[in-house]
Amino acid sequence: MDEFDIAIVGAGPVGLFLACELGLAGCSVVVLEREPGPRSPWRAAPLGTRGLTTASIEAFYRRGMLDPLLSASGLPAVTGVETDADERAQPSFAGHFAAMTLDPAHVDLAAFPFRLPSPGPEMLMADLEAVESVLYERATKLGVQVEYGVTVSGISQDDERAVVHTGGHGHAARWVVGCDGGRSVVRGFAGFEFVGTEPMFTGYTLLATIADPEKLRPGFNLTPQGAYIRMPRDGHLGMMDFDGGAFDRSRQPTREHLQEVLRRISGTDVTLTEIHLASSFTDRAMQTTTYRRGRVLLAGDAAHIHSPMGGQGLNTGLGDAMNLGWKLAATVHGHAPDGLLDTYTEERHPIGARVLDWSRAQAATMRPGPYAQALQGVVRDLLGTRDGTTYVYGRVSGASIHYDVGGEHPLIGHDAPDFRLADGTRLGDLMQDGRGLALELTGDHHLRDTAAKWENRIQYVTGTAHNNLGVSALLVRPDGVVAWADTPTPNPTAFESALGTWFGTP
Ligand SMILES: Cc1cc2nc3c(=O)[nH]c(=O)nc-3n(C[C@H](O)[C@H](O)[C@H](O)COP(=O)(O)OP(=O)(O)OC[C@H]3O[C@@H](n4cnc5c(N)ncnc54)[C@H](O)[C@@H]3O)c2cc1C
């Protein structure tokens, strides 16, 4: 039987991102994927198009994968384009809540004082195929073994290791991570509890020939019967039918059914001549009560499912992968401080729960009937205010995400700002090797000797920044989260204590 440090089930975006993190950290990794290969019409644009938020884009940037991602998405590279602004520009797109679009001019950036511009875009529409091809290429370069056409049919574990069963033979690993999507079998085999709320609606995405498309309004339309989206590309539609999730999703929706739903929701007599592709989803919102049972962990849709409204599933899953990767690698290498792996659930479970609630709040606001219509009026008024827009923007863009990891400085627990040093180096450039980063912004060497004790786990850099946001030094975890920060003069004792907390004994 093959033996690995980690076996990942599922070569979706989350499984592949996690595989890259673990490969970068020098772990032996196998990824098992039941599909015969990475290509599928559902993963290509436009049906496979997903909105990536700043946090996800920065995760690619910090690992040197932003240009490949932009190139795979048909966009120009940003390498060499110096972002010399020292403050973030007003966003050009701020998202929506329950199909009510935000005015980006109303976002109050002062509410996010520790954000600096970075070379990537604020928001990126990328298709799953592009995301996965970039990750697959990098994972294999890092020595990860990706096996397609392998269906996982069972998992067993004891104190020493776990075994993933795949028909004829098994793969043994010290740890198994289920990244096998919303219908995860790993979740079931390992006995995770999956709890939440049942659906209010059935959603559909489809590619159709429409005889009279002018009868449908372009964009996102909230109607008294539900909601429909007419996407910019011809024939691409989305619909939400508040049927209590009654549609039997084990069967393929027929042309007649889709047309009936579309006519009812849009209040038109539009005709769908032919259906080329169609799939359904619901707003069922469920989450496992923990992300770890023994030697089995979950990430991405395997740990949390909710409606795609608000475009957060992939972003949340990539956040899981970033958070888990370095902690699991430190555990495998035997230098993780006590309890480090448990901070994965402690930090990521509340984020997942907030995303589920966000999707529930939108479904409740969109459902047909006088109560939701009254609620829509209130929400619309709030979204017309600067505070309302800023709040929703913080939730939708991920800008308001932070972990409660203790410490006094307000930057601790937040994503590290992309500090730009006097020599042009950016924080993001310094994070490519997957180690933590001790960045002293005094140009002096108060922390150098302490940092040297952990040099195999963190990199130490000193310099001055164009805009240091009043911070004199910070310790950044490999996932980009600030573990410690100080001002005005860095305190080596407090720094050493933070190093021990996150990176173990030197
Ligand atoms: C219409 C729609 C629009 C969306 N828009 C957005 C958006 O704009 N932004 C956003 O952030 N999210 C969006 N999402 C959600 C996003 O697509 C998912 O959250 C994301 O794809 C989850 O990634 P994953 O890797 O966890 O799971 P998946 O992408 O589902 O990958 C799981 C993989 O595991 C494999 N697998 C399953 N079972 C087994 C098994 N037994 N053995 C081996 N392999 C197995 C599967 O074949 C699959 O490749 C949208 C979803 C939908 C449906």
Side-chain angles (χ1 to χ4, degrees):
M1 194 183 314
D2 302 327
E3 294 256 1
F4 295 87
D5 291 330
I6 296 119
I8 295 173
V9 184
V14 176
L16 288 173
F17 200 102
L18 179 63
C20 290
E21 288 298 285
L22 293 164
L24 182 63
C27 300
S28 64
V29 184
V30 64
V31 182
L32 306 168
E33 168 57 51
R34 72 172 170 205
E35 294 295 327
R39 293 194 172 275
S40 139
W42 293 110
R43 304 186 97 75
L47 296 180
T49 300
R50 303 290 183 260
L52 293 181
T53 56
T54 309
S56 300
I57 295 165
E58 290 204 339
F60 279 85
Y61 157 55
R62 287 178 182 153
R63 296 297 187 251
M65 293 189 283
L66 181 56
D67 281 346
L69 178 62
L70 292 172
S71 150
S73 308
L75 296 166
V78 294
T79 304
V81 177
E82 188 55 41
T83 306
D84 54 10
D86 287 328
E87 284 174 15
R88 269 194 185 262
Q90 200 67 25
S92 54
F93 173 77
H96 72 90
F97 178 84
M100 290 174 256
T101 311
L102 301 180
D103 180 349
H106 283 166
V107 176
D108 179 9
L109 290 176
F112 312 104
F114 291 116
R115 299 183 79 216
L116 287 172
S118 64
E122 178 93 9
M123 184 91 187
L124 172 62
M125 299 309 285
D127 60 271
L128 286 170
E129 205 168 77
V131 172
E132 289 173 7
S133 69
V134 170
L135 293 171
Y136 170 79
E137 195 168 313
R138 178 172 167 90
T140 47
K141 266 194 196 135
L142 290 165
V144 171
Q145 191 171 314
V146 185
E147 296 183 14
Y148 284 97
V150 178
T151 300
V152 171
S153 53
I155 291 195
S156 52
Q157 60 168 318
D158 58 29
D159 289 346
E160 300 294 315
R161 61 178 195 165
V163 178
V164 182
H165 304 280
T166 54
H169 68 297
H171 292 75
R174 293 165 70 188
W175 299 91
V176 171
V177 190
C179 299
D180 52 338
R183 296 179 186 182
S184 168
V185 296
V186 174
R187 186 174 68 216
F189 290 133
F192 284 88
E193 210 182 330
F194 199 45
V195 296
T197 48
E198 293 304 327
M200 287 201 278
F201 68 76
T202 302
Y204 303 88
T205 45
L206 55 143
L207 173 57
T209 302
I210 310 171
D212 37 15
E214 68 285 353
K215 290 182 175 164
L216 300 172
R217 283 193 302 268
F220 213 137
N221 299 281
L222 204 49
T223 77
Q225 286 76 36
Y228 75 91
I229 312 160
R230 189 179 141 205
M231 296 177 216
R233 288 259 305 255
D234 278 354
H236 292 102
L237 298 172
M239 304 190 282
M240 278 160 226
D241 183 16
F242 283 79
D243 61 351
F247 177 72
D248 173 6
R249 294 185 57 232
S250 64
R251 65 189 177 88
Q252 190 61 19
T254 60
R255 186 196 67 83
E256 291 72 19
H257 175 75
L258 292 166
Q259 178 172 282
E260 183 278 312
V261 173
L262 182 59
R263 285 182 170 182
R264 181 161 39 79
I265 291 177
S266 64
T268 68
D269 60 355
V270 65
T271 299
L272 299 180
T273 320
E274 195 181 348
I275 305 296
H276 308 288
L277 283 169
S279 82
S280 61
F281 57 88
T282 73
D283 60 322
R284 195 165 175 251
M286 311 283 280
Q287 187 181 23
T288 52
T289 52
T290 176
Y291 287 3
R292 175 187 169 194
R293 272 179 68 84
R295 297 194 158 270
V296 181
L297 296 123
L298 299 176
D301 280 13
H304 39 75
I305 55 164
H306 56 85
S307 95
M309 228 172 357
Q312 306 226 347
L314 174 57
N315 292 298
T316 310
L318 293 173
D320 293 346
M322 276 300 268
N323 190 289
L324 176 59
W326 71 280
K327 294 175 181 174
L328 189 52
T331 306
V332 164
H333 295 316
H335 55 64
D338 280 352
L340 182 70
L341 197 53
D342 290 329
T343 66
Y344 169 56
T345 296
E346 287 160 20
E347 292 178 358
R348 293 304 300 175
H349 193 277
I351 303 288
R354 260 168 79 83
V355 170
L356 261 61
D357 275 347
W358 192 246
S359 115
R360 289 183 185 115
Q362 293 193 78
T365 310
M366 290 172 77
R367 70 182 187 268
Y371 291 98
Q373 268 171 29
L375 187 55
Q376 283 162 26
V378 174
V379 172
R380 226 175 236 117
D381 284 348
L382 290 173
L383 291 185
T385 69
R386 202 162 163 78
D387 283 352
T389 302
T390 304
Y391 172 79
V392 174
Y393 170 76
R395 298 282 298 256
V396 171
S397 68
S400 61
I401 289 179
H402 78 282
Y403 304 132
D404 187 8
V405 293
E408 279 171 23
H409 197 284
L411 185 55
I412 297 174
H414 286 266
D415 207 40
D418 195 32
F419 289 112
R420 185 166 62 101
L421 302 184
D423 68 0
T425 312
R426 313 188 71 97
L427 179 137
D429 303 324
L430 298 169
M431 304 220 53
Q432 295 197 9
D433 69 4
R435 284 186 295 166
L437 174 68
L439 183 59
E440 195 166 340
L441 297 172
T442 59
D444 217 325
H445 297 92
H446 299 93
L447 306 177
R448 182 180 52 196
D449 294 344
T450 310
K453 296 189 226 167
W454 276 268
E455 73 178 340
N456 58 341
R457 290 167 231 171
I458 63 156
Q459 179 185 186
Y460 168 79
V461 174
T462 187
T464 53
H466 286 269
N467 180 0
N468 68 9
L469 298 170
V471 178
S472 63
L474 68 161
L475 175 63
V476 187
R477 309 187 322 193
D479 58 355
V481 172
V482 177
W484 171 85
D486 211 350
T487 194
T489 309
N491 175 347
T493 311
F495 173 59
E496 182 152 8
S497 161
L499 280 166
T501 301
W502 292 106
F503 294 94
T505 312

